[in-house]
Amino acid sequence: MLQTQELIWTWLLLGTAVCIQVTVVPSQVDVDVGESKFFSCQVTGGEAKDIFWFSPSGEKISANQQEISIVRNDEVSSTLSIYNVDIDDAGIYKCVVTTEGEGEMEATVNVQIYQKMVFRNAPSPQEFTEGEDAVVVCDVVSVQTPSVMWKHKGRDVVLKKDVRFVVLANNYLQIRGIKKTDEGMYRCEGRIQARGEIAFKDIQVVVNVAPSVRARQTTVNATANLGEAAVLACDADGFPDPEISWTKDGEMIEDDSDKYKFTEDGSEMTIFNIDKSDEGDYTCIAENKAGEQEASILLKVYAKPKITYVENKTAMELEEQITLTCEASGDPTPSITWRMATRNISSDEKTLDGRIVVSSHARVSSLTLNDIQYTDAGEYLCIGSNTIGQDSQAMYLEVQYAPKLQGPVAVYTWEGNAVNITCEVFAYPSAVVSWFRDGQALPSSNYSNIKIYSTPSASFLEVVPDSENDFGNYNCTAVNRIGQESSEFILVPADTPSSPSILKLEPYSSSAKMEFDEPDATGGVPILKYRAEWKVLGEGEWSSRMYDAKEASIENAITIVGLKPETVYAVRLSAINGKGLGEYSPVSEFKTEPVQGEPSAPKLDGQIGEDGKSIRINLIKQDDGGSPIRHYLYTYRAKNALEWSPETRVPSVSNHFTLKSLAWNAEYEVSVIAENLQGKSKPARFTFKTLFEPTAIPAGPSSGSGLGTGAIVGILIIVFVILLVVVDVTCYFLNKCGLLMCIAVNLCGKSGPGAKGKDIEEGKAAFSKDESKEPIVEVRTEEERTPNHDGGNQTEPNETTPLTEPEKAPVEENSKPEDTEAKTTAPEVKTIPNNATQTNENESKA
């Protein structure tokens, strides 16, 4: 029975042992280096007591190692994990299972490990210097040795015909004499035939180019001591961009904001406040990874000329010689020239007459004047010049000389007409001028009609002849400490002009143009006007018209207007000077033309108004075509405008019209047409330009409490009336005159108090005279009574200044022949005390 039970248990154990199985999943695997894998050992058909793992070397693997982990999942399984597989981890791993019967069962897994290609040493970019033999490095690592090929721009470099490209035994790429054009991306490609594996690495090949540098200017010129700056510049090429530095005489120049300044790339260096010590050799150094190169620049510092010595001199006229000296410094040595008022004289030169000689030595030049003349006086300019610039400085030569007199010897006037005898005086030092008549100094009590006044350069003797005795010789004598000079002047009686000559008459229907020759003799004084007279042939009365001599002398022609068509006229012409009306020319005859039809265009002139943007256009009537002018039509436009203004009518009796409110500083064009019954004339054109707009100062804002303009005017009127009353009362009581005095005498029939004393005082005043003060007589005819108060345009008086109006008044147009005698116009006399030299601009009169 016992044996039977043991047999049964044995069969049970055997059956159980046969049914238990051990498997590892997976049983075989290929793992790439660096990957991680896990394997599961599973027991089927029973429970396992222990599950162990053994490495390919046969060692039991303990749990919880760094790269290998074993985990017992449950009673029938265990997991082996391998992290970051390496080549050394390859082999057969075994899983051993023990059961209750102390039997062991096992299963294995074959772990095969391979390595993908790895680029261990293939940096990018790889840099080389142009011209060297470059070797592009690329190390490909794998379990099996890979084959390596190189590609550039998609092509195998071996297939290139360029023998400079060679793949070395270590699979590196060699490029002999590498060029900048070889630069680019190169592909290192590895292949393993057994696995069909391809790996590649793109490597950037950079070719560095050594710098090349060149100076923009190898020599730079600068000028010292003028606060100038010099710029030294060089241009550098290379790859990578080179860094630029500067040295002077081998010493590095640092960036100094006061003396040196560099541009951002260093290619330009500015040297401030150049002086002589900055001169020298400068080096521009360009440097990069591929090397360095330098260029030299010479800074040459020059000195602009400077005049260091001049001296003013004084000489006497007719002195043998005098020398002016000038010294100049500069680098290079300056040449010295002299400039006078009329010419330039260079070194080692002399004038043709030999009076002026210039000689130079080193930095000194001298100008020698021989036989000194008074015209040598003045400014002498010494000019030092070199290639850098020039400097100049003036010196002055004063020449002392005896007086020299000038002026018109013969002066014309007539009795009663004031005239100036001008004695121009040139002297240094200034001379004292005296006038004499028959050995007697002027003015004197015997010559009360003679006055003297002076300017710095002339003395004027004003004479108002009373009789023939006042005509004759007058002596002007000037004296200074060098000597004296006298000159005789003759006062000659003026006469009326001789007759002009009528050369040609050109008649039209209602006018005639007369061409003439001026009189042979003017009578000693200028002609002021011409008088034309005409009448219908056979009739008794002459019509006349005056013509300004200046206007008539432009073409030596005048135009007579207002004539009848197809009529024979007699005409004569005379000239008028300050003395009076001259002789008439012989009578000439002409016949006007028949009615022509349209009138001639008027002549135009104009004057800009005081406001600067208005103008008065004067209409000068021409031939009316035998039919009276009905009116004038004018239009205008801005110079560049397309459209004209609407036509405006001007009556025929008007001799002008005014354009207002024009634009500032604008050019305008005016067109005027004359119209009669027969038609219109051709247009007359006139152009003008308005003034610039003045700068206006805007008025400040008025205060709300300020007085209005009317209130201010009213207050001023009241104050003025009060002042008049006060003055009138004062005059009544003190001088017995004024409005109050007049009322008292006329209404009351009384003389004011003290009237008798007043009469006595007036009588005394009438006979009082200060014999020590001689008056100056200022003469002006009727047309010249307005004195010249424009100091800016005043001219010095001369002997013809007062001769501005004929002694006889001109005969008005259409006057009778017996009215041709001109009326004598009484001159205006202004008396000025002669106790000092007359220099006031408003008091200097001719």
Side-chain angles (χ1 to χ4, degrees):
M1 187 67 180
L2 180 61
Q3 293 179 348
T4 302
Q5 289 180 348
E6 289 178 353
L7 183 62
I8 292 171
W9 280 110
T10 302
W11 281 105
L12 288 172
L13 289 174
L14 290 173
T16 302
V18 171
C19 292
I20 293 176
Q21 293 182 357
V22 178
T23 58
V24 176
V25 179
S27 60
Q28 184 171 344
V29 68
D30 291 338
V31 183
D32 188 13
V33 173
E35 287 184 347
S36 298
K37 289 288 184 178
F38 71 92
F39 307 94
S40 179
C41 182
Q42 297 178 353
V43 180
T44 60
E47 295 183 358
K49 181 179 180 181
D50 292 307
I51 301 176
F52 301 102
W53 288 88
F54 293 88
S55 67
S57 62
E59 294 180 359
K60 183 180 179 180
I61 302 173
S62 61
N64 300 324
Q65 295 184 18
Q66 184 175 0
E67 298 295 335
I68 299 178
S69 171
I70 298 176
V71 177
R72 179 72 180 267
N73 300 323
D74 52 28
E75 295 297 326
V76 294
S77 65
S78 174
T79 300
L80 169 67
S81 298
I82 305 175
Y83 298 95
N84 298 322
V85 173
D86 195 2
I87 294 294
D88 298 334
D89 296 329
I92 296 175
Y93 289 80
K94 182 168 58 175
C95 173
V96 178
V97 177
T98 61
T99 63
E100 288 294 335
E102 296 184 358
E104 290 184 356
M105 301 184 69
E106 63 182 34
T108 61
V109 56
N110 185 10
V111 178
Q112 294 182 354
I113 298 176
Y114 70 93
Q115 182 179 13
K116 289 184 178 180
M117 286 181 286
V118 177
F119 295 89
R120 293 280 179 86
N121 183 22
S124 180
Q126 296 184 34
E127 298 185 16
F128 307 95
T129 300
E130 187 179 39
E132 72 177 355
D133 291 340
V135 176
V136 185
V137 176
C138 180
D139 285 330
V140 185
V141 178
S142 181
V143 175
Q144 298 176 345
T145 303
S147 62
V148 177
M149 63 184 301
W150 289 86
K151 292 182 179 180
H152 179 51
K153 297 181 180 178
R155 293 183 60 193
D156 191 337
V157 296
V158 176
L159 300 178
K160 286 188 175 184
K161 296 181 180 180
D162 194 340
V163 297
R164 296 182 302 112
F165 291 82
V166 178
V167 178
L168 301 178
N170 58 359
N171 293 324
Y172 293 174
L173 175 64
Q174 182 184 57
I175 306 174
R176 299 191 184 102
I178 193 168
K179 303 175 182 178
K180 185 66 177 175
T181 55
D182 297 330
E183 191 174 65
M185 191 69 70
Y186 287 77
R187 174 166 291 184
C188 174
E189 184 176 296
R191 296 191 177 199
I192 297 178
Q193 187 71 27
R195 294 200 302 266
E197 182 182 356
I198 298 177
F200 61 86
K201 176 70 177 291
D202 289 333
I203 300 173
Q204 179 70 37
V205 173
V206 178
V207 179
N208 294 327
V209 181
S212 64
V213 63
R214 56 201 170 277
R216 295 182 191 172
Q217 292 178 279
T218 56
T219 302
V220 175
N221 296 327
T223 304
N225 306 322
L226 294 180
E228 292 184 352
V231 178
L232 309 185
C234 63
D235 295 315
D237 296 323
F239 187 85
D241 291 336
E243 295 182 358
I244 299 177
S245 58
W246 293 82
T247 63
K248 178 180 184 290
D249 299 330
E251 295 184 5
M252 188 65 66
I253 299 175
E254 302 295 336
D255 191 348
D256 184 341
S257 59
D258 292 333
K259 186 65 178 177
Y260 302 100
K261 194 72 176 179
F262 299 91
T263 56
E264 185 176 354
D265 62 357
S267 61
E268 292 184 3
M269 176 178 65
T270 302
I271 308 174
F272 298 99
N273 299 317
I274 294 293
D275 56 36
K276 196 66 178 176
S277 64
D278 293 320
E279 187 173 77
D281 288 317
Y282 290 79
T283 302
C284 169
I285 303 172
E287 183 178 7
N288 66 6
K289 296 177 180 179
E292 69 175 45
Q293 191 179 30
E294 59 185 38
S296 296
I297 300 175
L298 173 63
L299 176 60
K300 180 65 177 176
V301 178
Y302 296 94
K304 184 180 178 181
K306 182 175 180 61
I307 305 299
T308 57
Y309 174 80
V310 292
E311 182 182 7
N312 298 331
K313 293 291 185 72
T314 302
M316 299 282 291
E317 188 179 27
L318 303 181
E319 190 175 327
E320 288 189 3
Q321 70 173 212
I322 191 169
T323 299
L324 307 179
T325 302
C326 174
E327 295 182 9
S329 63
D331 183 18
T333 302
S335 61
I336 298 177
T337 57
W338 294 82
R339 179 180 299 167
M340 297 180 290
T342 57
R343 62 169 301 168
N344 293 345
I345 301 179
S346 58
S347 301
D348 302 319
E349 184 181 343
K350 65 180 180 179
T351 57
L352 294 177
D353 58 8
R355 277 205 327 109
I356 303 177
V357 179
V358 174
S359 59
S360 298
H361 177 70
R363 302 175 185 272
V364 181
S365 180
S366 61
L367 182 146
T368 302
L369 295 163
N370 299 306
D371 300 326
I372 309 300
Q373 300 175 6
Y374 80 97
T375 54
D376 295 330
E379 180 185 83
Y380 288 78
L381 195 64
C382 171
I383 306 170
S385 305
N386 62 13
T387 55
I388 304 305
Q390 70 176 31
D391 186 30
S392 62
Q393 193 165 336
M395 65 188 76
Y396 298 88
L397 174 63
E398 292 182 347
V399 178
Q400 298 180 352
Y401 57 97
K404 302 180 186 300
L405 306 182
Q406 293 181 5
V409 175
V411 180
Y412 293 82
T413 190
W414 57 92
E415 293 181 12
N417 187 70
V419 71
N420 293 317
I421 301 176
T422 303
C423 180
E424 294 183 71
V425 182
F426 301 92
Y428 187 79
S430 299
V432 177
V433 181
S434 303
W435 289 88
F436 298 91
R437 177 88 191 276
D438 298 331
Q440 185 177 3
L442 300 177
S444 69
S445 57
N446 294 335
Y447 296 96
S448 60
N449 58 339
I450 295 177
K451 304 294 178 281
I452 299 174
Y453 59 99
S454 303
T455 67
S457 61
S459 179
F460 301 93
L461 182 71
E462 185 179 74
V463 182
V464 185
D466 294 334
S467 64
E468 292 183 0
N469 294 332
D470 292 324
F471 295 95
N473 290 353
Y474 290 82
N475 177 275
C476 174
T477 300
V479 180
N480 66 5
R481 62 184 179 84
I482 308 301
Q484 73 173 41
E485 178 73 14
S486 295
S487 181
E488 294 290 329
F489 297 88
I490 304 174
L491 186 61
V492 182
D495 198 1
T496 57
S498 61
S499 65
S501 301
I502 299 177
L503 299 179
K504 181 182 178 181
L505 285 166
E506 188 174 349
Y508 303 98
S509 59
S510 63
S511 62
K513 182 178 180 181
M514 178 194 299
E515 297 181 8
F516 63 91
D517 265 346
E518 296 178 351
D520 295 332
T522 64
V525 291
I527 294 175
L528 303 177
K529 294 183 179 181
Y530 286 96
R531 178 186 175 93
E533 294 187 353
W534 66 93
K535 65 178 180 178
V536 176
L537 189 64
E539 295 184 1
E541 294 186 0
W542 292 88
S543 299
S544 65
R545 181 178 173 182
M546 296 291 185
Y547 299 87
D548 184 76
K550 291 182 179 179
E551 295 180 2
S553 297
I554 296 175
E555 297 180 351
N556 272 12
I558 60 174
T559 301
I560 302 171
V561 297
L563 304 180
K564 298 178 182 179
E566 296 187 272
T567 305
V568 179
Y569 284 90
V571 65
R572 62 184 182 181
L573 186 66
S574 63
I576 301 172
N577 64 6
K579 176 68 175 175
L581 185 67
E583 300 175 359
Y584 282 101
S585 67
V587 175
S588 298
E589 297 178 3
F590 66 91
K591 183 179 180 180
T592 54
E593 298 290 332
V595 173
Q596 301 298 317
E598 297 85 358
S600 299
K603 288 186 178 179
L604 307 177
D605 63 28
Q607 297 86 35
I608 297 294
E610 293 183 358
D611 61 356
K613 57 176 184 176
S614 65
I615 186 170
R616 169 179 168 143
I617 303 294
N618 296 317
L619 304 170
I620 304 172
K621 179 181 176 183
Q622 301 301 303
D623 184 49
D624 60 10
S627 177
I629 300 293
R630 298 176 61 194
H631 49 251
Y632 296 98
L633 300 172
Y634 76 82
T635 183
Y636 67 95
R637 67 176 179 181
K639 192 70 173 178
N640 297 322
L642 298 177
E643 297 183 0
W644 292 81
S645 68
E647 281 190 342
T648 303
R649 181 176 295 183
V650 178
S652 60
V653 294
S654 298
N655 60 2
H656 74 277
F657 61 88
T658 302
L659 303 179
K660 298 181 179 180
S661 300
L662 304 175
W664 292 106
N665 189 32
E667 288 191 55
Y668 284 89
E669 183 178 9
V670 179
S671 175
V672 180
I673 296 173
E675 184 175 5
N676 64 7
L677 293 174
Q678 305 299 322
K680 296 181 179 179
S681 70
K682 295 181 179 179
R685 297 294 174 87
F686 179 74
T687 59
F688 65 93
K689 185 176 182 179
T690 56
L691 303 181
F692 285 93
E693 183 176 6
T695 302
I697 301 176
S702 58
S703 173
S705 61
L707 295 176
T709 304
I712 295 174
V713 173
I715 293 173
L716 292 176
I717 293 174
I718 294 172
V719 172
F720 183 74
V721 172
I722 294 174
L723 288 176
L724 284 179
V725 173
V726 173
V727 172
D728 190 76
V729 172
T730 304
C731 290
Y732 174 79
F733 286 102
L734 296 181
N735 298 327
K736 311 306 179 286
C737 62
L739 181 61
L740 192 59
M741 180 67 184
C742 181
I743 294 173
V745 173
N746 293 333
L747 297 182
C748 302
K750 297 181 179 181
S751 299
K756 182 177 180 181
K758 175 76 167 57
D759 295 337
I760 294 174
E761 289 177 3
E762 289 177 349
K764 180 179 179 182
F767 289 94
S768 296
K769 184 177 182 183
D770 186 359
E771 297 295 341
S772 64
K773 297 182 179 179
E774 295 292 339
I776 291 177
V777 178
E778 176 187 289
V779 178
R780 288 289 183 268
T781 57
E782 279 186 343
E783 291 188 1
E784 297 295 322
R785 293 212 173 175
T786 303
N788 178 17
H789 293 291
D790 186 0
N793 297 323
Q794 184 175 357
T795 58
E796 290 190 356
N798 55 64
E799 71 279 359
T800 64
T801 302
L803 309 181
T804 58
E805 193 66 30
E807 185 176 307
K808 297 179 181 180
V811 179
E812 297 299 327
E813 188 176 342
N814 300 323
S815 64
K816 298 179 180 180
E818 56 270 19
D819 293 337
T820 56
E821 291 295 328
K823 296 180 181 180
T824 302
T825 302
E828 179 185 354
V829 179
K830 182 178 180 182
T831 304
I832 303 172
N834 191 29
N835 56 343
T837 301
Q838 307 297 313
T839 59
N840 187 294
E841 292 181 348
N842 293 330
E843 301 300 325
S844 299
K845 305 296 179 183

